[in-house]
Each structure stands twice: as C-alpha cells, then as structure tokens.
Amino acid sequence: MKGENIATRLLVFGAGVVRLCRRLPDDASANHIARQLVRAATGGGANYEEARGAESRADFIHKVGIANKELREALYWL
C-alpha cells in the first residue's frame, strides 16, 4: 500500500521514543518532557495514518501538515 514505508518508520520512531522515555529519571522535569515527547512522537504517526485515509488531496495535505507539526515538536523535545 502506498505510504507503508513512512507509516512503518513513524511507528518504529514512536516506539523508540516510548522506550527512551521509560529510561528517563523519575522527577518532575523528566516526567514533563517525557509526556510531551511521547505525545508528539506518537501523534505524528497517528496523524499520518489519519492522512492516509483522507477524503481528498487537500484533506491529505492538511493532515500530513498536522503530522509534520507533531514531529517537529518531538524533535524540539529531543
């Protein structure tokens, strides 16, 4: 299926971030960063999957843009 490679890579990225965050220390600042990072990293993949089911080309472009914003946020937290 078209876009499968990207979807797989985003899933692997999200899972890797979850594993990384489990290794962070248990303090307030690390917990805050971990929550934000996990949300953004997994949200990018989820939004990309949503884009793959878009109803039009414009809808696809909009939803991929949202996925991109989530992944940029994940990069910030990393």
Side-chain angles (χ1 to χ4, degrees), residues 25-63:
D26 188 19
D27 63 38
S29 60
N31 288 336
H32 173 74
I33 290 169
R35 277 193 299 276
Q36 294 291 337
L37 178 54
V38 167
R39 186 193 58 76
T42 58
N47 281 302
Y48 180 72
E49 283 299 323
E50 184 72 21
R52 291 177 70 191
E55 296 178 8
S56 67
R57 181 176 173 87
D59 189 31
F60 175 79
I61 291 168
H62 174 71
K63 289 177 179 178

Side-chain angles (χ1 to χ4, degrees), residues 2 10 15 19 21-22 24-25 30 33 40 44 49 64:
K2 198 169 189 176
L10 288 170
R19 283 192 302 276
C21 288
R22 286 183 181 151
L24 292 176
I33 290 169
E49 283 299 323
V64 166

Side-chain angles (χ1 to χ4, degrees), residues 5-19 41 45:
N5 182 28
I6 295 171
T8 300
R9 289 166 49 196
L10 288 170
L11 181 63
V12 169
F13 174 69
V17 166
V18 169
R19 283 192 302 276

